């Protein structure tokens, strides 16, 4: 795959259920400085659909969304977002 993007912070929300997945991610992004990046580990399904969309709606940049294991597209994904 592509080159791994260097990130400032990491958050694992794989044990959380919606809407806590977005709430926890949003709280982390709010504590970040503009320009910082956050890698979020999240499950496929609702978190993968809602978290990136909601962050983009708030004006943040989604840099990448990739499955941890390409052979398991419905498994855990890694989202990288930059706070704007």
């Amino acid at each position: 795959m592509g080159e791994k993007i260097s990130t400032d912070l990491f958050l694992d929300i794989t044990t959380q259920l919606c809407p806590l997945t977005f709430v926890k991610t949003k709280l982390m992004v709010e504590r970040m400085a503009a320009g910082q990046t956050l890698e979020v580990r999240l499950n496929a399904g609702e978190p993968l659909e809602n978290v990136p969309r909601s962050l983009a709606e708030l004006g943040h940049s989604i840099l990448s969304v990739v499955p941890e294991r390409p052979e398991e597209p419905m498994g855990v994904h890694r989202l990288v977002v930059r706070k704007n």
Side-chain angles (χ1 to χ4, degrees):
M1 285 212 128
E3 204 174 298
K4 181 168 172 20
I5 298 171
S6 167
T7 57
D8 298 304
L9 299 162
F10 176 78
L11 177 66
D12 186 340
I13 56 171
T14 56
T15 62
Q16 304 297 319
L17 300 174
C18 286
L20 281 180
T21 52
F22 177 63
V23 171
K24 290 204 176 259
T25 305
K26 182 177 183 235
L27 289 172
M28 178 72 91
V29 171
E30 285 175 352
R31 291 193 300 260
M32 293 165 48
Q36 281 191 307
T37 54
L38 170 68
E39 180 177 1
V40 183
R41 187 170 185 259
L42 50 92
N43 294 315
E46 274 190 275
L48 184 59
E49 293 170 23
N50 295 333
V51 172
R53 177 181 41 81
S54 297
L55 289 169
E57 287 173 358
L58 291 174
H60 304 299
S61 300
I62 305 304
L63 303 181
S64 70
V65 182
V66 294
E68 279 189 353
R69 300 178 63 166
E71 68 276 12
E72 294 179 17
M74 293 309 295
V76 174
H77 284 66
R78 300 282 181 134
L79 158 72
V80 177
V81 59
R82 180 187 306 117
K83 180 174 181 172
N84 291 333

